[in-house]
Each structure stands twice: as structure tokens, then as C-alpha cells.
Amino acid sequence: MSNTTMHRAPEVHEYKAEMKQLLHLIIHSLYTHPEIFLRELISNASDALNKVRFRELTGQAVLDSGTPLEIRITLDRNAHTITVEDTGIGMTKDDLINRLGTVASSGTLEFVKSLKEQGKTLDVSMIGQFGVGFYSVFMVADEVVVETRHAEPDSIGLRWKSDGKGSFTIEDIDKPTRGTRISFRLKDSATEFSEEYRVRSIIQKYSNFVDFPILIASQGSTLQKVNTIRALWQAPKDTINPDEAHEFYKFLTHDYQSPLGYLHLAIEGSVNFKALLFIPATPPVRPFILDNDKSLHLYTNKVLIEEHCKHLLPEYLRFVRGVVDTDDLPLNVSREVTQSSPQMAKINKVLTSKILGLLHDWSAHDPDKYQRFYTAFGQQLKLGINTDTANRDQIVQLLRFETTHTAHGSLRSLKEYVERMNPEQQEIYFLTGEHRDTMLNNPNLEYFQKHSIEVLLLTDPVDIIIIPTIGEFEGKKLVSIDKADIRTVAASSQEQKEPSMLDSALLALFKEALGDKVEDVVPSKRLVDSPVTLVVGKEGMDAQTERMMKMLDKTFKGGRKILEVNMEHPLIRNLSRLQLAQAGSPLLRQYILHLYEGALLLEGNLPSPAIFIRRMIEIMTDATR
Ligand code: ADP
């Protein structure tokens, strides 16, 4: 059969500038792993086969209906050539121009560039995590020819040719069969990829679980199947071994590391499905650029119907990767219908509870593993507190925090905290901040430290959002130590002492000097080593929240605080004496202002360090006179 297309001269197209840049970066970053090109070509072929299989199964007309769905690789070790051919969906002219010649994700280029700027290069741990795509073929070839014909019955054959540098050409050709054939001669540095043993081992490493037969022929031999096609998730539960599961995970995600763990589910009941789910060991290198669109693969009866089906999991569990296969969804319904189907909601619910169950299991029986998980994905998990009301209590149980009583980096659950509390302690105390070290020097902690009361150290910005939602745990309220009323903390341990005349006079001077900068000035019960500190009044917000608000809104002024004064502190005593000796001294007011601004500085909320420093210099000049 021959096409009666008029053959015109090849059309020349220029690459977009960013394509050239990306290509340059790929070649120079990945040169240590040139074999990646084969994974990329096979993975594109597999996508194309999936698409055509889907069309056939949903009753749409396709060219060469019934032709075997397969990938054929032909090698010639003498001529150093490779051909990778598939019987997939093929490409239209528009596809060749707009898909093959463009960067798949706008984030890719920026990411690679920013790595370059930081003096880093892509390494094998990163390349796995995003498709470098078709263009990686130019690592091993100087010129590539793509011959393709789309599966639409009235399509035409096309040849695309390029050296991957400035431009590519497209021309019409006679191609009777659908699918894509990619061929090229290997560069001298890459001739190993025309050796059959080498190609086999690459396929076994990267592409063993491809859903379609991969056939190899070299030097004119007959085609032989290389991969083991096995829908692993369909295997009876407990029959797959961890090595096999890990292999499958690596194939699926392109992660080079083994997963932290996996779940193999076979659910029967009001909804029926099988699933093989994995929890990665580390988060993707750039979670917010590319991987926000990664999710579980949805199959129905072994046929892939959606590559990243976001509706299978709540967002806070989207770090989970894997496959779900159900017979309960019809193949030929639109994606929108699939998404809103009750089956989907049921699967989502079952998966959520199984995953949370697995995490509970780790937290109870394998704390090390759980800590590794939590370090990698804890922040994402926490978001479930505010979004998944049904499972909130379960997620709260999974939270872990550093505290004043843990070593740096080790974590404690709220349950453990409550179990260790003194019987009289009524509340769970926390402090928010950016770094453990600075937090430990917070004057507001002194009382708690002195009395050995454990305080949660919340360094994750997400904590500020979830703490109010949690509210209380096992009947104990979560209270910021910036707000805690020390009288309740101290309970019976400290009797109330009326301030002396001298103290009252000094406090009055503080109030006068600070004016409406503060809500009030009161003698402190929480301070041990520091002279003053700022605490939150009845309606105020804690220092960390205030800092966050200021970051979001430059004009945000924050509420007034209460200044607490440690009447026992030597400096405060000295001020008292100074007031007695020379009540009108302007220096006294300078000292008071300085103490106040020092407290602001410690909180991270001092608006003008310059004024603070100028005053400090004046005071020191005076003191050294
Ligand atoms: P990605 O696969 O990440 O989209 P690629 O650069 O590998 O990026 O491929 C770009 C596009 O070219 C694919 O999305 C697909 O539309 C098309 N393509 C590549 N290879 C094939 C193929 N063998 N058959 C059909 N289409 C293909």
C-alpha cells in the first residue's frame, strides 16, 4: 500500500531558544549516564502504546486495529546504529512541532539553570525524578530520524530529522503502518549501545516492568523478548518479594533509591480494587515544581486509564506513589465522570485509612523508620490536620515535635509529652520560632527550664497553622508560653507577693517611658536570668505568628505586648536604686527603652536595629567615661 501524498521538500523549523539551552544542559549534566536515553525512548513508546490501547478498548477507530502492541529495538554493532520502533499512537505534524520540540515542563529549565548557578550538576538521584525526555538521545547521537504515523485512519506518514542544535526538518513520507520509529547512528563515544548485552542490561535495569513486550534483534537475528511483563499489583497478596516490589517502585517513579516501605492491597467489598503503594525514602528534589502533578497510576483491569490520578488520595498524602487497579470503573467514561464517581471516593477513603494505618504501625513498631518518614514528609502530612476532619485525631497521633527535653533532631509525640507531664500540669506548652538554638535562649523559657517543665519547640512554619486546629490533646490545652499565665503554670508553688514601694515606682517609670508601646508593664514570675521579656496580652498573637503576618503584609503592625520585668534581676535592682538617687535622670529612660527594644530584638520583631545600636553606643560611651 502506498500513499499518494505529494512529496515536497522538507520543511525547516527553528528550535525555540530555551530548547537549545535545555539540550545543552542535558548533555553536559547527564554525560555520566548516557544510557538514560534508552529509558526515555522506551518510556515514550510505552506511553504511545497505552494511548492506542485505550482508543481500541473504548471502541474508537484506529489504523492497523489488532496489530500487536510492542516495542522493537534493532541493533547493528557494525554500523553502530539503533532503531526503536513502536506500534503506538504515533504523531501528527502538530505533535512533531509542538510536543517533540518543546520542554515538557516549564519548571525543568529553571530548575536545571538554578542548579548550574549554584555550581551543582544534575546527578543520578535527580535525573530519575523528572523526564529528561526525548532530547537525551542527542547525548549519544549527532543526528536523529523520527518516522511516524498517527493512529487516526486518515493520517499521513512523516519524517522528522534533526541534529538537535539549531533546527529540525519535517517531510511527508510513505509509511503504511501506524506508530513511531526512531533511528540514529551512535557517536563514537557511545558505540556500546549497539551491543545487545548492554542494551538488555539497561532494559532490565530501567524498563523491566514496561507493560508491553520489548523485543530485541541484533545483526539481523529474530526479535526476542527482553522484559518480564507482570502486573505486579495483580499478584496474590504476599507472593511478591520486597526486591521485586522495590524494582517495580524504581521503574514506576524513576527514583534511584528503594522506597521506605510499601503496601500491597486486595480490597473486596463495596468497592473492589488492588493496589501497590509505596512511600518514598526522600521527597522529590523539587516538590513544588514538577512533582505536584505526580500521583497514583489508575488502571482498570490492567489497562492504564490515568497516569497521575489525583483523586485517589487526599493532597496531604500525595507523596505516596504506586498503582491502583479497579474493575469498578468503566473504561469508556470521561475523566470528569471518573473523578466524581462514588467508587473513586470510596477508594480514596480506603487508601487513606490504609496509609495512615501503615504510618501508625511504623510509629509504634519501627520508630527509626517512622522518624525517617516524618523528616521527609511530616510537613505534608500535617496539612491533613486542617483538611481531613474525619482523620484528624489519627493524624494528630502521628505528629512529632522536638521539645526542650529532647536532643536536637529527636522527636516526641503529644502522647509521650502528656505521659511525662507532672500530675499538676494542666496544659501542653509550646514555643514557636525558627531555630532551636535561639528558641532555647528565649527569656520566656526560663521559668519552664528552671522548673523542668517540658515545652514543645515548634520550628516548622506549618505548626502555626495547625496548632489552633488541634486545640487540645487528651483534654490538655495547647498553650503558647508567650501567652501562658504563669500563675496557672506555677499553680501552688509560688505565693503572690505584693510589689514593694520601690518596685512600684520603677514599674510606673517603665510605663511612663514606654507609653503606648506596650499594653502594660508587670512584675514577672517567669523570668529567672533575664531582666525583661515581652509576653502576649489577652488578645495578642505570639511572636512567630506576628513575624509571619509582617512578612505577608508589610504594613502590619502587630498587637501591643505586655512587658514583664524581673524585679530580682541585679540590673533592675540597680535601676531602682538609680531612680531613688536621681529620679529625673534621662539615662534611666534610655535604659528602659533599650531593655524594651532588646526584648523586641530577641523576638525578631525589632523595627530599627540602627536606632538600637546608636543608643547602645551612647550608653556604653557614658558607662566608660
Ligand atoms: P515527555 O515524554 O516527558 O512528554 P519527551 O520529550 O520525551 O517528553 O516527549 C515529548 C512528546 O513527544 C511526548 O509527550 C509525546 O507527545 C511525543 N512523543 C515522543 N515519543 C513518542 C512516541 N514514541 N510516540 C508518540 N509520541 C511520542
Side-chain angles (χ1 to χ4, degrees):
M1 187 172 82
S2 145
N3 259 328
T4 46
T5 332
M6 287 269 288
H7 285 215
R8 278 166 282 149
E11 261 176 37
V12 182
H13 296 256
E14 287 293 315
Y15 282 123
K16 297 203 182 92
E18 57 177 22
M19 247 340 290
K20 291 183 209 165
Q21 265 174 302
L22 184 66
L23 185 61
H24 181 85
L25 291 171
I26 288 174
I27 290 179
H28 289 89
S29 307
L30 299 183
Y31 63 93
T32 50
H33 293 86
E35 77 274 12
I36 291 291
F37 84 91
L38 196 57
R39 180 189 76 184
E40 298 296 325
L41 295 184
I42 290 174
S43 143
N44 284 345
S46 166
D47 288 349
L49 288 162
N50 260 316
K51 285 181 194 157
V52 87
R53 175 162 69 180
F54 187 79
R55 278 197 185 217
E56 284 200 283
L57 287 169
T58 52
Q60 301 174 57
V62 295
L63 188 64
D64 307 334
S65 176
T67 213
L69 300 173
E70 58 193 24
I71 301 167
R72 302 177 205 126
I73 300 176
T74 319
L75 307 171
D76 186 329
R77 59 185 303 201
N78 301 324
H80 299 150
T81 56
I82 290 199
T83 302
V84 177
E85 181 168 15
D86 64 65
T87 50
I89 189 88
M91 282 177 271
T92 61
K93 186 167 171 185
D94 187 64
D95 291 338
L96 286 174
I97 297 170
N98 293 316
R99 290 175 174 258
L100 205 59
T102 49
V103 188
S105 155
S106 55
T108 308
L109 190 59
E110 276 98 76
F111 176 69
V112 178
K113 270 201 221 154
S114 80
L115 277 182
K116 279 249 148 178
E117 278 157 19
Q118 294 164 39
K120 295 184 198 149
T121 49
L122 285 169
D123 65 35
V124 68
S125 70
M126 297 174 189
I127 50 178
Q129 297 190 23
F130 58 97
V132 285
F134 167 78
Y135 276 85
S136 56
V137 73
F138 288 106
M139 289 191 291
V140 296
D142 289 321
E143 186 184 71
V144 177
V145 177
V146 177
E147 291 169 327
T148 189
R149 183 166 172 195
H150 197 267
E152 288 289 342
D154 60 355
S155 65
I156 54 163
L158 296 163
R159 178 183 293 128
W160 176 103
K161 203 196 281 194
S162 179
D163 62 2
K165 291 194 181 88
S167 60
F168 56 89
T169 60
I170 297 180
E171 64 191 304
D172 297 350
I173 55 164
D174 289 330
K175 186 175 187 305
T177 53
R178 74 155 194 248
T180 302
R181 180 167 54 228
I182 298 175
S183 40
F184 46 92
R185 209 178 73 80
L186 293 157
K187 290 181 189 177
D188 289 347
S189 59
T191 53
E192 61 186 294
F193 301 115
S194 59
E195 299 285 350
E196 183 174 337
Y197 79 93
R198 183 78 175 101
V199 171
R200 275 175 181 267
S201 82
I202 298 168
I203 292 171
Q204 259 134 30
K205 181 167 173 201
Y206 293 112
S207 310
N208 201 22
F209 289 97
V210 165
D211 236 356
F212 304 94
I214 303 175
L215 309 167
I216 288 201
S218 62
Q219 316 313 122
S221 70
T222 51
L223 287 155
Q224 282 185 327
K225 189 160 129 258
V226 191
N227 58 332
T228 33
I229 303 163
R230 199 170 160 213
L232 207 58
W233 61 92
Q234 289 280 2
K237 208 163 156 2
D238 305 322
T239 60
I240 56 175
N241 68 46
D243 288 344
E244 216 174 358
H246 291 184
E247 280 285 299
F248 181 67
Y249 165 80
K250 290 179 185 172
F251 161 71
L252 207 64
T253 60
H254 295 179
D255 194 346
Y256 75 111
Q257 309 173 85
S258 292
L260 208 50
Y262 66 93
L263 268 177
H264 188 190
L265 304 173
I267 304 291
E268 280 172 25
S270 67
V271 61
N272 302 287
F273 66 89
K274 296 200 164 73
L276 191 52
L277 306 180
F278 299 90
I279 298 188
T282 50
V285 258
R286 25 174 213 162
F288 298 111
I289 305 181
L290 263 196
D291 284 272
N292 53 2
D293 51 36
K294 297 266 171 78
S295 193
L296 300 180
H297 299 265
L298 177 62
Y299 283 73
T300 131
N301 205 4
K302 297 194 195 174
V303 177
L304 181 66
I305 58 170
E306 197 174 340
E307 205 185 347
H308 293 289
C309 183
K310 293 191 176 160
H311 300 265
L312 285 168
L313 285 175
E315 192 163 358
Y316 72 97
L317 293 179
R318 291 255 177 85
F319 51 83
V320 176
R321 306 292 303 277
V323 170
V324 173
D325 194 337
T326 177
D327 297 349
D328 292 357
L329 290 170
L331 253 182
N332 53 352
V333 291
S334 73
R335 213 161 257 188
E336 288 68 34
V337 174
T338 315
Q339 285 166 4
S340 56
S341 78
Q343 282 94 337
M344 208 67 167
K346 281 185 198 159
I347 298 176
N348 181 313
K349 201 169 155 202
V350 176
L351 293 179
T352 303
S353 100
K354 294 285 180 187
I355 294 163
L356 292 176
L358 176 72
L359 297 177
H360 273 283
D361 196 48
W362 287 357
S363 71
H365 304 116
D366 196 344
D368 287 346
K369 186 184 251 188
Y370 187 69
Q371 173 136 356
R372 283 176 61 201
F373 159 77
Y374 198 77
T375 310
F377 301 108
Q379 200 175 34
Q380 192 169 346
L381 179 74
K382 283 177 194 175
L383 298 173
I385 301 255
N386 287 18
T387 54
D388 188 355
T389 329
N391 291 302
R392 178 174 303 152
D393 291 348
Q394 278 223 60
I395 305 169
V396 169
Q397 300 274 356
L398 289 169
L399 297 178
R400 296 291 181 275
F401 303 101
E402 281 194 33
T403 79
T404 47
H405 289 40
T406 57
H408 180 42
S410 68
L411 301 171
R412 190 157 285 173
S413 67
L414 289 176
K415 195 172 167 53
E416 286 162 337
Y417 177 100
V418 168
E419 278 165 6
R420 297 164 47 92
M421 269 166 46
N422 262 330
E424 339 42 293
Q425 191 181 331
Q426 297 302 319
E427 297 171 325
I428 297 172
Y429 298 110
F430 68 86
L431 173 62
T432 57
E434 273 160 36
H435 303 290
R436 182 188 169 94
D437 295 347
T438 44
M439 288 163 82
L440 286 176
N441 287 315
N442 188 313
N444 292 358
L445 256 187
E446 289 169 5
Y447 177 88
F448 296 84
Q449 295 283 55
K450 185 174 164 196
H451 293 89
S452 246
I453 302 169
E454 186 166 18
V455 175
L456 305 175
L457 300 173
L458 310 184
T459 45
D460 180 353
V462 173
D463 293 335
I464 305 174
I465 301 162
I466 61 163
I467 290 287
T469 315
I470 303 173
E472 59 172 55
F473 181 80
E474 294 187 354
K476 315 279 184 203
K477 267 177 75 177
L478 277 87
V479 178
S480 161
I481 64 156
D482 292 347
K483 275 192 183 170
D485 181 348
I486 293 295
R487 271 166 308 194
T488 30
V489 180
S492 54
S493 70
Q494 249 181 358
E495 84 288 9
Q496 279 288 98
K497 203 174 70 182
E498 279 298 310
S500 70
M501 292 272 284
L502 267 183
D503 288 353
S504 302
L506 184 65
L507 290 172
L509 184 67
F510 262 85
K511 281 185 209 175
E512 190 205 311
L514 296 176
D516 56 10
K517 288 189 168 63
V518 292
E519 185 184 308
D520 200 0
V521 180
V522 298
S524 180
K525 297 186 182 61
R526 76 182 75 220
L527 292 175
V528 178
D529 301 315
S530 301
V532 296
T533 190
L534 284 164
V535 297
V536 180
K538 284 278 168 282
E539 279 86 40
M541 50 183 70
D542 58 86
Q544 181 79 353
T545 314
E546 188 171 323
R547 249 198 327 274
M548 204 176 71
M549 296 295 292
K550 283 184 179 160
M551 252 152 54
L552 297 173
D553 174 4
K554 294 271 177 282
T555 62
F556 182 80
K557 282 280 176 287
R560 291 186 307 163
K561 298 266 174 72
I562 296 174
L563 186 77
E564 286 196 4
V565 183
N566 179 359
M567 304 315 292
E568 312 299 322
H569 194 279
L571 173 59
I572 300 299
R573 292 231 191 98
N574 289 351
L575 291 183
S576 233
R577 250 189 288 124
L578 190 62
Q579 191 186 15
L580 197 60
Q582 9 172 335
S585 160
L587 261 181
L588 250 177
R589 282 156 208 273
Q590 291 284 72
Y591 294 153
I592 290 172
L593 262 180
H594 209 62
L595 279 169
Y596 164 74
E597 290 199 355
L600 278 181
L601 176 63
L602 268 185
E603 287 195 338
N605 282 318
L606 178 67
S608 170
I611 296 176
F612 180 79
I613 296 295
R614 203 179 311 138
R615 188 184 315 102
M616 181 191 83
I617 291 169
E618 279 169 28
I619 292 172
M620 287 173 79
T621 310
D622 185 70
T624 51
R625 204 169 32 212

